[in-house]
Amino acid sequence: MRTVSRHAAALAALALIALAIAGSVAPGRAAPAQVSAREGEGAGEFDVRAAYLYNFTKFVTWPEKSPPRGVFAIGVLGEDPFGASVTRALESKTVQGMRIVIRRVNTPEEAAACQLVYLAGGEEKRLAALFERLRGLPVLTVGDCRGFLRGGGMIRFRTEQERVQFDVSLAPASEAHLEISSRLLQVARTVHPDARKEE
């Protein structure tokens, strides 16, 4: 496992974007060094995570022909931790000119029709089937359950000392033909070449 050193300016910029999207700070306000789950009035942990999901769409490159239908689908597999207000905020955004839509998905097959899939905590038993179905497809997988990266996920959220952070596993993203920007990797807590091979 390689730990990526934090570059304060890049991290502060990403944090400011995340909190601004979550509606907790106005543009121009100083950003914290890390994104706090309780930073700002009304910004809870999952508000920040939802803002990060949007940020990930800005710092990940999908293959040229994906998505094919003119919309950018974010699928939520498992119990939805995001409230209606967060969903509305995300669906008011665009990715490369494409409207974001949030889909509640129940099966790996439905997840395969999305460009980004978020797997909620407590869904460890569904990891193997999900990653088997998505193998090689240009779908960014994000989650927060135990064993997520070891099972084949790409980005895993962690909340430590009330701060939302994330870890990255590069090999699954590469196999899915997704390119993660170095700017995003600079602000990750850790970056693994391939977490599936680590104990």
Side-chain angles (χ1 to χ4, degrees):
M1 179 180 70
R2 177 172 63 90
T3 301
V4 176
S5 60
R6 293 182 175 85
H7 295 263
L11 182 55
L14 187 63
L16 178 59
I17 294 169
L19 289 174
I21 294 168
S24 58
V25 299
R29 177 178 167 181
Q34 294 177 324
V35 179
S36 171
R38 296 183 179 178
E39 187 76 33
E41 183 179 356
E45 176 179 347
F46 286 99
D47 297 284
V48 174
R49 292 186 186 207
Y52 264 129
L53 291 182
Y54 177 70
N55 277 311
F56 294 156
T57 71
K58 299 297 186 181
F59 291 95
V60 174
T61 302
W62 275 258
E64 185 176 350
K65 294 183 180 180
S66 178
R69 298 184 180 85
V71 297
F72 189 95
I74 297 178
V76 179
L77 182 63
E79 184 176 353
D80 185 358
F82 305 113
S85 62
V86 174
T87 297
R88 285 194 298 269
L90 281 174
E91 290 188 330
S92 70
K93 308 297 180 183
T94 61
V95 178
Q96 298 178 355
M98 295 173 289
R99 179 174 57 90
I100 292 177
V101 296
I102 307 298
R103 295 176 178 165
R104 274 68 185 183
V105 297
N106 297 308
T107 67
E109 287 70 27
E110 292 175 340
C114 300
Q115 283 67 55
L116 185 157
V117 172
Y118 174 81
L119 187 71
E123 294 291 336
E124 291 87 350
K125 63 183 181 297
R126 304 180 74 174
L127 288 178
L130 175 67
F131 295 142
E132 177 65 25
R133 178 64 182 86
L134 298 183
R135 183 176 299 160
L137 297 179
V139 179
L140 183 70
T141 53
V142 184
D144 56 13
C145 57
R146 291 177 297 174
F148 187 78
L149 296 185
R150 288 194 306 274
M154 300 171 193
I155 300 177
R156 183 195 175 192
F157 285 124
R158 290 179 179 270
T159 302
E160 296 183 354
Q161 298 180 342
E162 300 181 356
R163 296 188 184 278
V164 177
Q165 303 174 69
F166 61 93
D167 301 324
V168 177
S169 182
L170 293 174
S174 178
E175 292 167 6
H177 309 288
L178 301 176
E179 181 180 346
I180 300 178
S181 168
S182 60
R183 294 170 62 190
L184 185 62
L185 297 179
Q186 287 173 357
V187 298
R189 190 185 75 102
T190 61
V191 174
H192 305 256
D194 190 348
R196 295 169 300 185
K197 298 179 180 179
E198 300 178 13
E199 298 181 358

